[in-house]
Amino acid sequence: MKKGSSNNQNGSESSDIGNNNRDNNENIPQNNESENNSVRITPWEVVGHVDYDRLIKEFGTQPIDSEIIEKFQKITGEVHPMLKLHYFFSHRDLDFILRKVESGEKIYLYTGRGPSGMVHMGHLMPWMFTKYLQDKFGSKLLFQLTDDEKFLYSQERTREEIRHYTYENILDIISVGFDPNNTKIIVDTTHIKHLYPIALEIAKRITFSTAKAVFGFSSSTNIGMIGFPPVQAAPCFLPSLIEGKPTPVLIPAAIDQDPYWRMTRDVAEKMGFYKPAQIHSKFLPSLDSQGGKMSSSKPETAIFTTDEPEVIEKKVSSAFTGGQATVALQRQYGGNALGCPVFWYLRYFFDDEKESDERFVKCISGNLLCGECKSDLARESKSFISTLKKRRESAKDSIEKYMYENEPYEI
Ligand code: TYM
């Protein structure tokens, strides 16, 4: 595997993936389990402390640098806090997308959700940024719900359970505020006829050996999972079919979804499409640690859009912090803000940059106690979720407007 190859569509940097003449998939960067056994990042699992700079090298992506941020500023007239704070830290072909936007060419946005449970605040981060891009660029958005993936992934989950979460997650997606005239929700098992022909073309071009290397599949993986990735890849090319010409697509998502895009990019040009571009975010941390991501599989450490105020209060009060063992030690030595999920949660979601910088200085100098940060986080989260809950309620009446074929979706 060649480390650090950027495979962009400009042809400006050396890349073995971007070479259209190559007809095997052996050079796709693989899942990074072997790089460091304590860290494992796949679309289904994030374990260990994530070193984002290292991921850029291992996955062969590009950092979001000042040049890209300036281009954004030129187009949008501002720098979104998630860019400024480097929450979105990495990309592929974002410069290509920004050039297309500048020249007035239509681009599509594509993002998604695997409906395995209720939505937590980590999931909302890339969606809020996607809405921002949709507003700024006036772009159409495809939003995929991979109910098939989540059914296949766990032997315990039933189709009924997944359908329930699909419905609940649709309410969350709508409550983010996407433009109903420019947004189409695709539920895989409902809309598969729109994806299947493209998925077949993709599947035919990917060997099992590549799928194993990219996703970490083994002999004990069920064959449904092994066959699934082309279904998540298909919406990358659907816009080209809708528009009747190759159409650029930008995917905002956390970095865990990257294996899908590496695979997709490898077949794109062979199929006559642009490689899908990505903008990768970090993970909102789980409330119980410094390193892992907020995950529905550990509900006590994540804040869900349907949590009651007292549940939020309890989760935040039990959160891990970067504080010292006693108040006296905290006053003497200060806290470890950078290793504190409460700090990051406040920084990304609720504090503005100035407030957050001040919080940081006060924390590390011993002038702020963890109780104060926890109380700020609990208050802000409760108010945020309470607003979202009202929007979820009214979303029930607009499901049809958002569905791919403008049809109802019921449990
Ligand atoms: P899923 O449901 O695991 O995650 C949905 C989106 O949330 C991001 N994410 C997070 N972001 C920040 N902090 C976290 N703690 C966190 N946990 C998850 C994910 O990166 C994702 O953007 N297979 C996909 C569904 C999918 C999809 C897509 C996602 C289908 N097509 C296109 C992104 C783009 C999944 O199960 O996502």
Side-chain angles (χ1 to χ4, degrees):
M1 162 170 104
K2 183 168 172 175
K3 298 281 172 208
S5 60
S6 74
N7 76 312
N8 62 16
Q9 21 216 349
N10 308 327
S12 58
E13 287 172 59
S14 72
S15 156
D16 30 22
I17 299 177
N19 177 355
N20 280 328
N21 299 323
R22 199 166 48 75
D23 57 5
N24 64 44
N25 316 110
E26 67 196 1
N27 291 315
I28 302 178
Q30 305 179 4
N31 82 75
N32 76 336
E33 190 181 10
S34 58
E35 299 293 329
N36 174 351
N37 285 332
S38 61
V39 181
R40 184 175 157 80
I41 298 174
T42 74
W44 309 287
E45 187 181 37
V46 175
V47 177
H49 180 80
V50 184
D51 177 340
Y52 291 104
D53 290 335
R54 185 170 170 164
L55 279 190
I56 288 177
K57 289 199 193 87
E58 287 179 4
F59 287 1
T61 65
Q62 299 290 299
I64 304 262
D65 56 18
S66 51
E67 208 178 306
I68 284 277
I69 291 182
E70 272 163 32
K71 270 192 204 151
F72 255 111
Q73 189 162 20
K74 200 169 146 215
I75 295 172
T76 61
E78 63 196 14
V79 183
H80 189 281
M82 288 194 210
L83 285 172
K84 202 165 186 188
L85 296 174
H86 297 285
Y87 185 70
F88 279 88
F89 71 105
S90 153
H91 75 98
R92 283 201 187 88
D93 281 337
L94 188 54
D95 38 357
F96 161 78
I97 292 289
L98 294 178
R99 275 203 306 280
K100 293 286 184 192
V101 171
E102 256 183 323
S103 69
E105 204 176 308
K106 232 183 216 177
I107 68 131
Y108 272 60
L109 296 163
Y110 163 41
T111 196
R113 161 75 179 141
S116 57
M118 300 306 272
V119 159
H120 61 58
M121 289 177 69
H123 299 128
L124 291 178
M125 300 279 292
W127 303 350
M128 286 159 60
F129 189 68
T130 304
K131 174 189 156 33
Y132 169 80
L133 294 179
Q134 179 178 59
D135 291 346
K136 287 290 171 188
F137 298 167
S139 302
K140 295 204 164 138
L141 164 68
L142 295 180
F143 201 117
Q144 182 183 38
L145 280 141
T146 50
D147 55 344
D148 44 355
E149 175 192 26
K150 293 301 170 177
F151 172 68
L152 290 163
Y153 181 64
S154 157
Q155 291 298 334
E156 284 77 48
R157 281 187 203 128
T158 62
R159 297 269 317 276
E160 291 67 35
E161 206 182 326
I162 297 287
R163 192 169 174 90
H164 166 77
Y165 288 130
T166 303
Y167 173 79
E168 292 292 339
N169 291 183
I170 286 174
L171 301 183
D172 290 301
I173 294 161
I174 295 173
S175 68
V176 170
F178 295 114
D179 175 358
N181 299 317
N182 264 344
T183 303
K184 287 288 168 212
I185 295 178
I186 298 171
V187 176
D188 285 352
T189 58
T190 307
H191 302 115
I192 193 64
K193 70 173 182 215
H194 299 285
L195 305 177
Y196 196 53
I198 315 172
L200 278 180
E201 292 282 349
I202 299 167
K204 198 168 178 173
R205 291 168 167 85
I206 294 161
T207 63
F208 181 44
S209 141
T210 295
K212 272 199 291 191
V214 173
F215 296 97
F217 295 145
S218 70
S219 324
S220 58
T221 308
N222 74 59
I223 58 171
M225 282 303 287
I226 294 164
F228 167 75
V231 177
Q232 181 156 328
C236 298
F237 304 144
L238 190 53
S240 299
L241 300 193
I242 297 170
E243 300 295 327
K245 58 174 188 188
T247 301
V249 170
L250 173 65
I251 307 169
I255 189 89
D256 58 340
Q257 299 299 309
D258 193 65
Y260 287 111
W261 321 132
R262 277 178 256 154
M263 177 199 81
T264 313
R265 286 170 64 84
D266 202 45
V267 298
E269 290 179 335
K270 293 171 206 160
M271 293 173 61
F273 300 118
Y274 289 124
K275 292 177 179 182
Q278 289 88 53
I279 178 159
H280 302 111
S281 80
K282 297 178 181 170
F283 302 111
L284 193 67
S286 99
L287 286 173
D288 75 340
S289 71
Q290 309 179 38
K293 72 161 185 170
M294 180 166 283
S295 161
S296 336
S297 60
K298 288 200 286 173
E300 67 293 353
T301 67
I303 295 180
F304 292 90
T305 58
T306 46
D307 275 349
E308 294 302 330
E310 51 286 3
V311 174
I312 297 176
E313 192 80 53
K314 188 160 174 247
K315 286 178 178 176
V316 173
S317 76
S318 335
F320 173 87
T321 69
Q324 302 287 349
T326 65
V327 171
L329 287 173
Q330 177 85 358
R331 295 269 182 231
Q332 188 175 357
Y333 297 112
N336 172 14
L338 297 181
C340 176
V342 175
F343 171 78
W344 285 110
Y345 213 106
L346 283 163
R347 182 166 178 97
Y348 288 144
F349 251 100
F350 302 121
D351 285 347
D352 64 27
E353 196 183 358
K354 186 165 168 280
E355 284 163 346
S356 181
D357 289 350
E358 284 167 10
R359 188 185 295 281
F360 176 78
V361 172
K362 278 167 78 183
C363 170
I364 60 166
S365 60
N367 290 311
L368 186 64
L369 299 179
C370 299
E372 291 175 58
C373 289
K374 282 186 170 180
S375 135
D376 290 347
L377 180 57
R379 187 187 61 253
E380 296 293 342
S381 302
K382 282 191 290 188
S383 147
F384 178 82
I385 296 293
S386 142
T387 308
L388 209 68
K389 275 188 183 168
K390 291 187 195 120
R391 297 170 72 156
R392 283 182 102 258
E393 226 14 70
S394 45
K396 290 179 182 162
D397 299 328
S398 34
I399 294 179
E400 281 184 50
K401 269 196 273 176
Y402 284 91
M403 294 298 282
Y404 196 76
E405 291 172 339
N406 293 120
E407 76 282 26
Y409 190 90
E410 282 150 13
I411 302 183

Coordinates of all heavy atoms in Angstrom, one line a residue, residues 43-44 87 110-116 120-127 144-146 149-150 228 232 235 251-257 260-261 281-286 292-295, ligand 1:
P43 N -16.2 1.7 9.3 CA -17.5 2.3 9.3 C -18.4 1.8 10.4 O -19.4 2.4 10.7 CB -18.1 2.0 8.0 CG -17.0 1.6 7.1 CD -15.9 1.0 8.0
W44 N -18.0 0.8 11.1 CA -18.9 0.2 12.1 C -18.4 0.3 13.5 O -19.0 -0.1 14.5 CB -19.2 -1.3 11.8 CG -19.6 -1.4 10.3 CD1 -20.9 -1.0 9.9 CD2 -18.9 -1.8 9.2 NE1 -20.9 -1.2 8.5 CE2 -19.7 -1.7 8.1 CE3 -17.6 -2.3 9.0 CZ2 -19.3 -2.0 6.8 CZ3 -17.2 -2.7 7.7 CH2 -18.0 -2.5 6.6
Y87 N -12.8 21.2 13.0 CA -13.6 20.0 13.2 C -13.7 19.2 11.9 O -13.6 18.0 11.9 CB -15.0 20.4 13.7 CG -15.9 19.2 14.0 CD1 -15.5 18.5 15.2 CD2 -16.9 18.8 13.2 CE1 -16.3 17.3 15.5 CE2 -17.6 17.7 13.6 CZ -17.3 16.9 14.7 OH -18.0 15.8 15.0
Y110 N -24.1 14.7 -0.7 CA -24.6 13.4 -0.3 C -24.1 13.0 1.1 O -22.9 13.2 1.4 CB -24.1 12.4 -1.4 CG -24.1 10.9 -0.9 CD1 -25.3 10.4 -0.3 CD2 -23.1 10.0 -1.2 CE1 -25.3 9.1 0.1 CE2 -23.1 8.7 -0.8 CZ -24.3 8.2 -0.1 OH -24.3 6.9 0.3
T111 N -25.1 12.7 1.9 CA -24.7 12.2 3.2 C -25.7 11.1 3.7 O -26.5 10.7 2.9 CB -24.5 13.3 4.3 OG1 -23.7 12.9 5.4 CG2 -25.8 13.9 4.7
G112 N -25.5 10.6 4.9 CA -26.4 9.5 5.3 C -26.4 9.1 6.8 O -25.7 9.7 7.6
R113 N -27.1 8.1 7.0 CA -27.3 7.6 8.4 C -27.6 6.1 8.3 O -28.4 5.6 7.5 CB -28.4 8.3 9.1 CG -29.0 7.7 10.3 CD -28.1 7.8 11.5 NE -28.7 7.1 12.7 CZ -28.0 6.4 13.6 NH1 -26.7 6.3 13.5 NH2 -28.6 5.9 14.6
G114 N -27.0 5.3 9.2 CA -27.3 3.9 9.4 C -28.2 3.8 10.5 O -27.8 3.9 11.7
P115 N -29.5 3.5 10.3 CA -30.5 3.6 11.4 C -30.5 2.4 12.4 O -31.4 1.6 12.4 CB -31.9 3.7 10.6 CG -31.6 2.9 9.4 CD -30.1 3.1 9.0
S116 N -29.5 2.4 13.2 CA -29.4 1.3 14.2 C -29.8 1.7 15.5 O -29.8 0.9 16.5 CB -27.9 0.9 14.2 OG -27.1 2.0 14.6
H120 N -27.7 10.7 17.9 CA -27.1 11.5 19.0 C -26.5 12.8 18.4 O -26.4 13.0 17.2 CB -26.1 10.7 19.8 CG -25.0 10.1 19.1 ND1 -24.1 10.8 18.4 CD2 -24.6 8.8 18.9 CE1 -23.2 10.1 17.8 NE2 -23.5 8.8 18.1
M121 N -25.9 13.6 19.3 CA -25.4 14.9 18.9 C -24.2 14.8 17.9 O -24.0 15.7 17.1 CB -25.1 15.8 20.1 CG -26.5 16.2 20.7 SD -26.3 17.2 22.2 CE -25.7 18.7 21.6
G122 N -23.5 13.7 18.0 CA -22.3 13.5 17.1 C -22.8 13.4 15.7 O -22.3 13.9 14.8
H123 N -23.9 12.6 15.5 CA -24.5 12.5 14.1 C -24.9 13.8 13.6 O -24.8 14.0 12.3 CB -25.7 11.5 14.1 CG -25.4 10.2 14.6 ND1 -26.2 9.6 15.6 CD2 -24.5 9.2 14.3 CE1 -25.7 8.3 15.8 NE2 -24.7 8.1 15.0
L124 N -25.4 14.7 14.4 CA -25.9 15.9 13.9 C -24.9 16.9 13.4 O -25.1 17.7 12.5 CB -26.6 16.7 15.1 CG -27.9 16.1 15.6 CD1 -28.4 17.0 16.8 CD2 -29.0 16.0 14.5
M125 N -23.6 16.7 13.8 CA -22.6 17.6 13.4 C -22.4 17.7 11.9 O -22.5 18.7 11.3 CB -21.2 17.3 14.1 CG -21.2 17.3 15.6 SD -21.1 18.9 16.3 CE -19.4 19.4 15.9
P126 N -22.1 16.5 11.3 CA -22.0 16.6 9.8 C -23.2 17.0 9.1 O -23.2 17.6 8.0 CB -21.5 15.2 9.4 CG -21.7 14.3 10.5 CD -21.8 15.2 11.8
W127 N -24.4 16.7 9.7 CA -25.6 17.1 9.0 C -25.8 18.6 9.1 O -26.3 19.2 8.1 CB -26.8 16.4 9.6 CG -26.7 14.9 9.6 CD1 -25.7 14.1 9.0 CD2 -27.5 13.9 10.3 NE1 -25.9 12.8 9.2 CE2 -26.9 12.6 10.0 CE3 -28.6 14.0 11.1 CZ2 -27.5 11.4 10.5 CZ3 -29.1 12.8 11.6 CH2 -28.6 11.6 11.3
Q144 N -29.0 9.3 2.4 CA -29.3 7.8 2.4 C -29.5 7.3 3.8 O -28.6 7.6 4.7 CB -28.1 7.1 1.7 CG -28.4 5.6 1.6 CD -27.2 4.9 0.9 OE1 -26.0 5.3 1.2 NE2 -27.4 3.9 0.1
L145 N -30.5 6.4 4.0 CA -30.6 5.7 5.2 C -30.3 4.2 4.9 O -31.1 3.5 4.2 CB -32.0 5.8 5.8 CG -32.1 7.2 6.5 CD1 -33.5 7.8 6.3 CD2 -32.0 6.9 8.0
T146 N -29.2 3.7 5.4 CA -28.8 2.3 5.1 C -29.4 1.3 6.0 O -28.8 0.7 6.9 CB -27.3 2.2 5.1 OG1 -26.8 2.8 6.3 CG2 -26.6 3.0 3.9
E149 N -27.8 -2.1 5.6 CA -26.5 -2.3 6.3 C -26.7 -2.6 7.8 O -26.1 -3.5 8.3 CB -25.7 -1.0 6.2 CG -24.4 -0.9 6.9 CD -23.8 0.5 7.0 OE1 -24.5 1.5 6.9 OE2 -22.6 0.5 7.1
K150 N -27.6 -1.8 8.4 CA -27.7 -2.0 9.9 C -28.5 -3.3 10.3 O -28.2 -3.9 11.3 CB -28.4 -0.8 10.5 CG -27.6 0.5 10.4 CD -26.2 0.3 11.1 CE -25.2 1.4 10.8 NZ -24.0 1.3 11.5
F228 N -22.7 -5.4 0.6 CA -23.4 -4.1 0.8 C -22.7 -2.9 0.3 O -23.3 -2.0 -0.2 CB -23.7 -4.0 2.3 CG -24.1 -2.5 2.6 CD1 -25.3 -2.1 2.3 CD2 -23.2 -1.6 3.2 CE1 -25.7 -0.7 2.5 CE2 -23.5 -0.3 3.4 CZ -24.8 0.1 3.1
Q232 N -24.0 1.6 -0.7 CA -23.6 3.0 -0.1 C -22.9 3.8 -1.1 O -22.9 5.0 -1.1 CB -22.8 2.8 1.2 CG -22.5 4.2 1.8 CD -22.3 4.2 3.3 OE1 -22.8 3.4 4.0 NE2 -21.4 5.1 3.8
P235 N -25.3 6.2 -4.4 CA -25.7 7.6 -4.5 C -24.6 8.6 -4.9 O -24.9 9.7 -5.3 CB -26.2 7.9 -3.0 CG -26.5 6.6 -2.5 CD -25.5 5.6 -3.1
I251 N -19.3 14.8 -0.3 CA -19.8 14.0 0.8 C -19.3 14.6 2.1 O -18.1 14.4 2.5 CB -19.4 12.5 0.7 CG1 -19.8 11.9 -0.6 CG2 -20.1 11.7 1.9 CD1 -19.2 10.6 -0.9
P252 N -20.1 15.3 2.9 CA -19.7 15.6 4.3 C -20.0 14.5 5.2 O -21.2 14.0 5.3 CB -20.5 16.9 4.6 CG -21.3 17.2 3.4 CD -21.3 16.0 2.6
A253 N -19.1 14.0 6.0 CA -19.3 12.9 7.0 C -18.0 12.8 7.9 O -17.0 13.4 7.5 CB -19.4 11.6 6.2
A254 N -18.2 12.1 9.0 CA -17.0 11.9 9.8 C -16.1 10.9 9.0 O -16.5 10.2 8.1 CB -17.4 11.3 11.1
I255 N -14.8 10.8 9.5 CA -13.8 10.0 8.7 C -14.1 8.5 8.8 O -13.5 7.8 7.9 CB -12.4 10.4 9.3 CG1 -11.2 9.8 8.4 CG2 -12.2 10.0 10.7 CD1 -10.8 10.7 7.3
D256 N -14.9 8.1 9.7 CA -15.2 6.6 9.7 C -15.8 6.0 8.4 O -15.6 4.9 8.2 CB -16.1 6.3 10.9 CG -17.4 7.0 10.9 OD1 -17.6 8.0 10.2 OD2 -18.4 6.5 11.5
Q257 N -16.5 6.9 7.7 CA -17.1 6.4 6.4 C -16.1 6.3 5.3 O -16.5 5.9 4.2 CB -18.3 7.3 6.1 CG -19.4 7.4 7.1 CD -20.0 6.0 7.4 OE1 -20.4 5.3 6.5 NE2 -20.0 5.6 8.7
Y260 N -15.7 3.5 2.4 CA -16.6 3.4 1.3 C -16.2 4.3 0.1 O -16.3 4.0 -1.1 CB -18.0 3.9 1.7 CG -18.7 3.0 2.6 CD1 -18.9 3.2 4.0 CD2 -19.2 1.8 2.1 CE1 -19.6 2.4 4.8 CE2 -19.9 0.9 2.9 CZ -20.1 1.2 4.3 OH -20.8 0.3 5.1
W261 N -15.6 5.5 0.5 CA -15.3 6.4 -0.6 C -14.0 6.1 -1.3 O -13.9 6.3 -2.5 CB -15.3 7.9 -0.1 CG -16.3 8.2 0.9 CD1 -16.1 8.7 2.2 CD2 -17.7 7.8 0.9 NE1 -17.3 8.8 2.8 CE2 -18.3 8.2 2.1 CE3 -18.5 7.2 -0.1 CZ2 -19.7 8.1 2.4 CZ3 -19.9 7.0 0.2 CH2 -20.4 7.5 1.4
S281 N -15.0 15.0 8.9 CA -15.0 15.6 10.2 C -14.3 14.6 11.2 O -14.2 13.4 11.0 CB -16.4 15.9 10.7 OG -17.0 14.8 11.2
K282 N -13.9 15.2 12.3 CA -13.5 14.4 13.5 C -14.7 13.8 14.1 O -15.9 14.0 13.6 CB -12.8 15.3 14.5 CG -11.5 15.9 13.9 CD -10.8 16.9 14.9 CE -9.6 17.5 14.3 NZ -9.0 18.5 15.1
F283 N -14.6 13.2 15.3 CA -15.7 12.6 16.0 C -16.0 13.5 17.2 O -15.1 13.9 17.9 CB -15.4 11.2 16.5 CG -15.0 10.3 15.4 CD1 -13.8 9.8 15.3 CD2 -16.0 9.9 14.5 CE1 -13.4 8.9 14.3 CE2 -15.7 9.0 13.5 CZ -14.4 8.5 13.4
L284 N -17.3 13.7 17.5 CA -17.6 14.3 18.8 C -17.3 13.2 19.8 O -17.8 12.0 19.6 CB -19.1 14.6 18.8 CG -19.6 15.5 19.9 CD1 -19.0 16.9 19.8 CD2 -21.1 15.6 19.9
P285 N -16.5 13.5 20.8 CA -16.1 12.4 21.7 C -17.2 11.8 22.5 O -18.2 12.5 22.8 CB -15.0 13.0 22.6 CG -15.2 14.5 22.5 CD -15.9 14.8 21.2
S286 N -17.1 10.6 23.0 CA -18.0 10.1 23.9 C -17.8 10.8 25.3 O -16.7 11.3 25.6 CB -17.8 8.5 24.1 OG -17.1 8.3 25.2
G292 N -12.5 7.9 22.3 CA -13.4 7.3 21.5 C -14.5 8.2 21.0 O -14.6 9.4 21.4
K293 N -15.3 7.7 20.0 CA -16.4 8.6 19.5 C -17.7 8.4 20.2 O -17.9 7.3 20.8 CB -16.6 8.3 18.0 CG -17.2 7.0 17.7 CD -17.8 7.1 16.3 CE -18.6 5.8 16.0 NZ -19.3 5.8 14.8
M294 N -18.5 9.4 20.2 CA -19.8 9.3 20.8 C -20.5 8.2 20.0 O -20.5 8.3 18.7 CB -20.5 10.6 20.7 CG -21.9 10.6 21.2 SD -22.6 12.3 21.5 CE -21.8 12.7 23.0
S295 N -21.1 7.2 20.6 CA -21.7 6.1 19.9 C -23.0 5.7 20.5 O -23.1 5.6 21.7 CB -20.7 5.0 19.8 OG -21.3 3.8 19.5
Ligands
TYM1 P1 -23.8 6.4 10.9 O1 -25.2 6.2 11.2 O2 -22.8 5.5 11.7 O3 -23.4 7.9 11.2 C1 -24.1 9.0 10.6 C2 -23.1 10.1 10.4 O4 -22.6 10.6 11.6 C3 -21.2 10.5 11.6 N1 -20.8 10.2 13.0 C4 -20.3 11.1 13.8 N2 -19.9 12.3 13.6 C5 -19.3 12.9 14.7 N3 -19.1 12.4 15.9 C6 -19.5 11.1 16.1 N4 -19.3 10.6 17.3 C7 -20.1 10.4 15.1 N5 -20.6 9.1 14.9 C8 -21.0 9.0 13.7 C9 -20.8 9.5 10.5 O5 -19.6 9.7 10.0 C10 -21.9 9.8 9.5 O6 -21.6 10.9 8.7 N6 -23.1 3.8 6.7 C11 -23.4 5.1 7.2 C12 -24.7 5.7 6.6 C13 -24.4 6.4 5.3 C14 -23.6 7.5 5.1 C15 -23.7 7.8 3.7 C16 -22.9 8.3 6.0 C17 -24.9 6.0 4.1 N7 -24.5 6.9 3.1 C18 -23.0 8.9 3.2 C19 -22.2 9.4 5.5 C20 -22.3 9.7 4.1 C21 -23.6 5.0 8.7 O7 -23.9 3.9 9.3 O8 -23.5 6.2 9.4

